Amino acid sequence: MKKKIAIVAGGDQSELEVSLRSAAGLYSFIDKERYDLYIVTIVGTKWEVECEGEKFPIDKNDFSFINKKGDHVNFDFAYITIHGVPGEDGKLQGYFDLLRIPYSCCGVLAAALTFNKYFCNKYLHQFQIPIAKSVLINKGDKINPQAIEEELGMPIFVKPNGGGSSYGTSKVKSADGIVKAVEAALVESDQVIIESFMKGTEITCGAYKTKNKAIVFPITEVVSKNEFFDTDAKYNGAVEEITPARLSKLVTDRVQRLTGMIYDLIGAKGIIRVDYIITEGDVINLLEVNTTPGMTATSFIPQQVRAAGLDIKDVMTDIIENELNK
């Protein structure tokens, strides 16, 4: 009998639509001859599953549902593709842990750590990984733009500390734009991270590990047509994505080794993607770690899988079977 896989999408932040697109991508990638696939959407307290063209409520007591035939359907595995709360911050991982349902991505601690950009970067910086200078602003804090400018210089990036896809992110070039930028970021998160500007080449590198293998994908170079890799660049084509990146073999090897090291340092599971910027002198600076990366057909990870000469279907099977056969 085929194992039943729930592709879990949705979420409570602006990345909802991106998550639904990732779910559609995963549905196309995962081997349907091997697994029965269902897309489950979680938006607030509304949990639903699509089955045979209809939607049915999920029983949150055991993550199951009753289909139109009256059969009780339980899931064997959850592939989490919620970008943001509650699928990227550890909440959903804790829920599945309690129910003993295996899932695709890292556990509670790693998810909570990586969702908090500021603390994740500070943690990894202890291992001599370069990061941008930054300050953390909490909702309700009094903001001193002049002090921020003195500490970080200009320009700076203001972004939600918990959130992705560049929603609420601004590049600020003068102190008088800081307050407005912080207000925009607070729409997405109760904390805001403000980082110094780093001039260089932006890249991203994916990886996954199982009991039997460790795969680090080819690197993608990100060349935005806008001032930075913002939401418009990510989803409206205002970007050139070059895989493999135009880097020397030496720098490529260093980035891939670093990605594998970060995977282990955070206690990752499944696929992760690490974003960097390479500054003068080939310094590899960490931007952020993404433990539930986008999985649309044109997302970075599928691009990198193709560039590695791998079949995305096989990668999905690796990840699922690694957890089912623990």
Side-chain angles (χ1 to χ4, degrees), residues 112-306:
L113 173 65
T114 55
F115 191 64
N116 188 309
K117 297 180 179 72
Y118 181 83
F119 288 110
C120 183
N121 285 8
K122 291 294 186 185
Y123 164 70
L124 290 171
H125 187 52
Q126 296 179 87
F127 300 94
Q128 287 72 56
I129 299 173
I131 60 172
K133 288 181 64 178
S134 62
V135 296
L136 184 68
I137 303 291
N138 291 290
K139 189 173 185 178
D141 284 353
K142 185 176 181 180
I143 302 168
N144 185 332
Q146 285 69 38
I148 293 170
E149 181 178 17
E150 286 174 14
E151 184 169 353
L152 302 180
M154 284 290 163
I156 55 174
F157 281 100
V158 179
K159 55 189 179 183
N161 195 38
S165 296
S166 297
Y167 287 107
T169 298
S170 307
K171 183 177 180 181
V172 177
K173 299 179 180 179
S174 62
D176 57 9
I178 292 176
V179 172
K180 183 178 179 181
V182 169
E183 289 171 351
L186 285 170
V187 173
E188 300 292 328
S189 172
D190 286 343
Q191 290 185 321
V192 175
I193 181 172
I194 304 179
E195 294 180 329
S196 60
F197 173 73
M198 295 184 292
K199 183 179 180 180
T201 301
E202 189 167 347
I203 60 169
T204 186
C205 183
Y208 78 99
K209 298 186 181 185
T210 67
K211 293 186 290 288
N212 303 315
K213 64 178 73 171
I215 304 292
V216 180
F217 299 129
I219 301 162
T220 300
E221 180 180 347
V222 182
V223 184
S224 177
K225 297 175 185 176
N226 297 341
E227 278 219 65
F228 68 99
F229 192 39
D230 59 8
T231 303
D232 176 61
K234 288 179 179 178
Y235 302 115
N236 296 322
V239 65
E240 185 179 3
E241 298 169 359
I242 304 163
T243 310
R246 299 169 297 184
L247 302 172
S248 69
K249 185 179 186 305
L250 178 62
V251 174
T252 297
D253 289 345
R254 287 173 55 210
V255 170
Q256 291 179 317
R257 283 197 304 272
L258 181 57
T259 302
M261 185 178 86
I262 288 172
Y263 193 104
D264 294 334
L265 287 172
I266 65 172
K269 192 173 71 171
I271 296 176
I272 71 164
R273 201 193 74 232
V274 187
D275 301 339
Y276 307 94
I277 188 160
I278 301 176
T279 52
E280 187 176 356
D282 289 337
V283 178
I284 303 166
N285 303 270
L286 171 67
L287 290 178
E288 62 181 81
V289 181
N290 189 329
T291 56
T292 56
M295 291 298 288
T296 70
T298 57
S299 294
F300 290 126
I301 293 298
Q303 288 182 48
Q304 294 175 6
V305 169
R306 289 192 295 271

Side-chain angles (χ1 to χ4, degrees), residues 5-20:
I5 309 297
I7 300 170
V8 186
D12 300 332
Q13 293 181 281
S14 295
E15 292 179 278
L16 168 62
E17 188 59 38
V18 181
S19 173
L20 296 176

Side-chain angles (χ1 to χ4, degrees), residues 302-321:
Q303 288 182 48
Q304 294 175 6
V305 169
R306 289 192 295 271
L310 301 174
D311 187 328
I312 190 74
K313 185 187 293 183
D314 294 336
V315 173
M316 296 294 101
T317 299
D318 277 350
I319 290 166
I320 294 168
E321 292 300 315

